[in-house]
Amino acid sequence: MAKSAVKLKAVPEPTPLLKLDLGAGQNCREGFKSVDAYSKADYKADLFTFPWPFKDSSVEELSASHFFEHVPHLLRGKFMDEAYRILAPGGKFTVICPYYSSVRATQDFTHEWPGISQNSFLYFNKGWREQNKLTHGYYDLKCDFDFSYGWSVNAAWQARNDEARNFAVQWYSNAVDDIHVNLVSRKPEAK
C-alpha cells in the first residue's frame, strides 16, 4: 500500500521577547538589555517621554533597580501604563527602590517625592482602582498589575526575632532600606 505524502505546514521560529533593564546605566542585569537616556545603553530612550520605542507586548520581563524613585510623581501612572503596554500577558516587572521611611529615600536630591511604599503599587491594580472609585483624572490608568513585595531589612534588624523585626518594619524609620516589588501583567492573552 502506497503512503501518500503529507505536506506539513512549517512552524515559524518564535521571536524571543525582550528583557529590559530600565534606567540601568552601566549596571544592567545579566540577560537583560539596558534602556537609558544617559549612558551607553543598548537602547537609548528617555523613559519620561511616552510612548517608549518598543512594540506592544514585546517584552517578557522588565527590571528597574533604583530607578522608579527618579520617576516624577505625576508621571508614575503614565510610566506604569507604558510598562504595561510593552509587557506581554503575564509579563513580569521587578522594581527595587528605597523604602519611603528610609533615609535612603531622601539622601539623593534626584529622588522624586513622595517616597515609595507597598501601598504605592495598589494604584496600578485595576480592581483596586475600581473598588476605590479612582478611575478618572490622574487615576485614569490602563495598567493592571498583581504584585507582591518584600524588603531589604536594615542590618541592625536582620538578626532580631520575627516579632521585633516586623514591629520595626511597620513603626520605625530606617528599619527597611529598600522595597522589592514583583509585578505581573494581568493582560488577557491575544486571540
Side-chain angles (χ1 to χ4, degrees), residues 38-179:
Y38 305 107
S39 69
K40 295 180 181 179
D42 296 302
Y43 300 104
K44 197 92 155 166
D46 177 355
L47 293 168
F48 304 150
T49 302
F50 311 102
W52 295 340
F54 302 98
K55 293 181 180 177
D56 294 2
S57 300
S58 63
V59 177
E60 172 184 356
E61 192 170 353
L62 292 170
S63 178
S65 181
H66 294 279
F67 180 72
F68 192 69
E69 67 273 18
H70 297 274
V71 176
H73 68 283
L74 291 179
L75 291 184
R76 289 180 184 166
K78 291 179 183 180
F79 182 93
M80 294 302 287
D81 271 352
E82 197 60 12
Y84 183 75
R85 179 187 69 79
I86 68 172
L87 276 169
K92 297 176 184 173
F93 185 11
T94 302
V95 175
I96 301 170
C97 55
Y99 196 52
Y100 82 100
S101 64
S102 168
V103 70
R104 294 166 51 88
T106 59
Q107 75 183 22
D108 183 341
F109 67 90
T110 66
H111 289 180
E112 289 286 328
W113 202 253
I116 298 158
S117 73
Q118 61 275 15
N119 290 10
S120 303
F121 293 90
L122 291 170
Y123 292 82
F124 310 127
N125 177 276
K126 183 179 177 181
W128 187 87
R129 289 192 309 271
E130 289 172 348
Q131 181 181 9
N132 289 279
K133 297 179 176 54
L134 299 172
T135 55
H136 61 281
Y138 288 121
Y139 306 110
D140 188 22
L141 303 172
K142 295 173 182 61
C143 63
D144 190 11
F145 289 102
D146 282 330
F147 70 95
S148 60
Y149 60 89
W151 298 284
S152 294
V153 176
N154 186 281
W157 290 97
Q158 287 177 4
R160 303 289 298 271
N161 68 45
D162 287 345
E163 184 178 359
R165 189 172 49 252
N166 291 338
F167 185 86
V169 164
Q170 182 163 358
W171 297 107
Y172 294 162
S173 295
N174 296 308
V176 173
D177 291 330
D178 295 328
I179 186 167

